[in-house]
């Protein structure tokens, strides 16, 4: 797979974020990326949809009166927590299945851990993007959680360091550390991209 | 890795992320639109309730006043009248129609009882 041919140079530097006029417009702009990111973290499209839905509801109910400039870090912070909750719940479910003997087949052999399959892209996505994203997704999923969050929010969503720190509930220094390690790990795994 | 190469690496990852996000299939995109619409609608309901609850309480209070006020002014209650008579002027004779008929049958007994003050006192002293 030639990943270099699948990606083009994107805009460089800090992204100048346009302030949306309404919450509807803000969510319309962000919803697909939010779903894509949740799916990347969770692996399952249905759970990703649930996470995005909860994040939307929470933002609209609790923060709609906040200034529009604050919606972006608030939304991603809510979505990040929701994803973490779902991952914890899944872990507990896996443990329960193991306790109840569901982790072994009839021959007593240990079955693979439950992991919802990523069913891949829609038909309109190009094959090269599909393959490239699958590889990136796998590498990102293998990152430790905090590194993954820092990478997704700071690199993919281009939140500022301060916004990323607010969304992750940590210091700006921690964000820089997590991001640096995440990029280092990704560079090692995605050698074809360099 | 040079800073420029590193920057390119991040940019290419971001570009791929945005492209694949834009290429979400039509079913998923429709679900997301519907989810957004419902979220915005659900947020409107509590706002309506915030206004409707006090308005409903005020309307119910006004309705109660409108219903109770005329009946209270036209027909003064018998209990209020009775109470005021008994407390304000105890020297008035009892209402013959309102009294218990059995009391008139036992008038002789009551008269005899009234004549026995010394016996009552003896009972109290002896007891």
């Amino acid at each position: 797979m030639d990943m270099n041919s699948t990606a083009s140079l994107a805009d460089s530097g800090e992204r100048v974020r346009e302030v949306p006029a309404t919450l509807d417009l803000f969510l319309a702009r962000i919803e697909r990326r939010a779903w894509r990111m949740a799916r990347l973290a969770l692996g399952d499209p249905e759970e990703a949809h649930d996470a995005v839905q909860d994040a939307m509801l929470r933002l609209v109910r609790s923060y709609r009166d906040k200034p529009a400039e604050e919606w972006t870090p608030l939304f991603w912070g809510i979505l990040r927590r929701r994803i973490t909750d779902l991952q914890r719940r899944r872990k507990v479910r896996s443990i329960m299945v193991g306790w109840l003997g569901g982790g072994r087949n009839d021959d007593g052999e240990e079955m693979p851990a439950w992991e919802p399959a990523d069913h891949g892209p829609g038909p309109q996505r190009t094959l090269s993007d599909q393959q490239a994203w699958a590889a990136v997704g796998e590498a990102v999923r293998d990152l430790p959680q905090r590194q993954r969050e820092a990478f997704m929010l700071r690199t993919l969503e281009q939140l500022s360091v301060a916004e990323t720190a607010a969304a992750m509930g940590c210091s700006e220094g921690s964000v820089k550390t997590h991001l640096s390690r995440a990029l280092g790990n990704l560079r090692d795994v995605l050698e074809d991209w360099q | 890795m040079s800073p420029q190469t590193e920057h390119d690496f991040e940019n290419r990852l971001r570009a791929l992320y945005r492209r694949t996000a834009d290429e979400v299939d039509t079913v998923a995109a429709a679900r997301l639109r519907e989810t957004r619409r419902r979220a915005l609608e659900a947020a409107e309901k509590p706002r309506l309730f915030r206004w409707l609850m006090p308005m409903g309480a005020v309307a119910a209070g006004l309705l109660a006043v409108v219903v109770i006020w005329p009946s209270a002014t036209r027909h003064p209650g018998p209990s209020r009248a009775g109470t005021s008579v008994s407390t304000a002027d105890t020297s008035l004779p009892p209402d013959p129609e309102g009294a218990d008929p059995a009391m008139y049958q036992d008038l002789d007994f009551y008269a005899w009882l009234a004549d026995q003050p010394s016996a009552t006192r003896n009972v109290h002293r002896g007891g």
Side-chain angles (χ1 to χ4, degrees):
Chain A
M1 176 175 61
D2 179 14
M3 291 189 197
N4 285 316
S5 66
T6 65
S8 61
L9 286 177
D11 52 324
S12 59
E14 290 289 327
R15 187 162 57 105
V16 179
R17 191 181 301 135
E18 194 180 332
V19 178
T22 64
L23 200 52
D24 188 20
L25 194 58
F26 168 75
L27 292 173
R29 281 181 192 167
I30 213 169
E31 64 194 10
R32 294 184 182 195
R33 296 203 309 274
W35 182 74
R36 181 62 69 193
M37 187 175 285
R39 188 174 170 181
L40 179 66
L42 294 165
D44 180 54
E46 288 303 316
E47 282 194 327
H49 193 94
D50 289 347
V52 172
Q53 178 177 302
D54 290 348
M56 281 184 178
L57 273 169
R58 182 76 193 279
L59 182 81
V60 172
R61 279 185 178 158
S62 304
Y63 301 109
R64 65 180 304 156
D65 295 327
K66 291 272 186 185
E69 294 82 6
E70 296 181 22
W71 289 342
T72 299
L74 281 169
F75 177 82
W76 289 112
I78 296 167
L79 183 62
R80 183 195 68 80
R81 286 192 294 275
R82 188 68 191 123
I83 288 170
T84 306
D85 287 346
L86 287 169
Q87 285 169 333
R88 283 183 189 145
R89 198 174 299 175
R90 180 190 295 175
K91 198 172 182 180
V92 170
R93 192 163 47 196
S94 294
I95 292 169
M96 291 297 287
V97 168
W99 282 348
L100 295 171
R104 292 184 180 278
N105 61 18
D106 293 341
D107 298 328
E109 295 168 341
E110 191 163 346
M111 293 168 69
W114 180 79
E115 188 72 27
D118 188 337
H119 298 294
Q124 69 270 42
R125 195 197 294 175
T126 61
L127 180 63
S128 55
D129 271 359
Q130 176 185 339
Q131 290 172 333
W133 183 249
V136 171
E138 192 176 338
V140 172
R141 268 195 294 271
D142 285 344
L143 291 173
Q145 182 179 342
R146 300 299 269 174
Q147 289 182 28
R148 184 172 60 236
E149 291 171 358
F151 170 76
M152 291 197 299
L153 295 175
R154 180 81 182 100
T155 301
L156 298 187
E157 271 304 315
Q158 286 187 287
L159 268 63
S160 69
V161 175
E163 287 173 336
T164 307
M168 289 178 62
C170 65
S171 69
E172 295 185 17
S174 295
V175 169
K176 290 175 184 172
T177 305
H178 290 312
L179 181 62
S180 173
R181 289 175 182 166
L183 289 172
N185 286 331
L186 289 175
R187 273 194 300 268
D188 290 343
V189 176
L190 302 170
E191 288 179 3
D192 291 348
W193 281 60
Q194 296 172 47
Chain B
M1 180 183 280
S2 70
Q4 184 57 43
T5 313
E6 191 171 337
H7 200 62
D8 289 348
F9 177 64
E10 291 181 53
N11 280 342
R12 279 158 42 210
L13 285 173
R14 188 182 306 122
L16 179 64
Y17 164 67
R18 290 183 180 275
R19 257 198 330 273
T20 53
D22 288 341
E23 291 165 2
V24 165
D25 66 85
T26 49
V27 174
R31 279 189 72 188
L32 287 167
R33 275 197 302 275
E34 179 64 14
T35 299
R36 170 168 34 103
R37 190 185 63 77
R38 285 185 181 175
L40 291 165
E41 277 181 4
E44 283 301 320
K45 284 179 185 170
R47 290 197 156 204
L48 281 174
F49 276 120
R50 207 181 302 165
W51 286 103
L52 285 176
M53 288 289 279
M55 285 173 66
V58 169
L62 284 172
L63 184 66
V65 167
V66 166
V67 169
I68 292 168
W69 182 268
S71 62
T73 51
R74 274 182 223 146
H75 309 291
S79 61
R80 272 181 59 191
T83 305
S84 64
V85 168
S86 62
T87 53
D89 193 354
T90 51
S91 63
L92 285 174
D95 181 6
E97 292 181 2
D100 183 3
M103 197 180 93
Y104 293 104
Q105 295 171 3
D106 299 331
L107 274 178
D108 292 340
F109 169 73
Y110 292 127
W112 172 81
L113 195 64
D115 291 338
Q116 307 299 317
S118 56
T120 309
R121 276 197 296 273
N122 290 340
V123 168
H124 281 295
R125 280 178 195 155

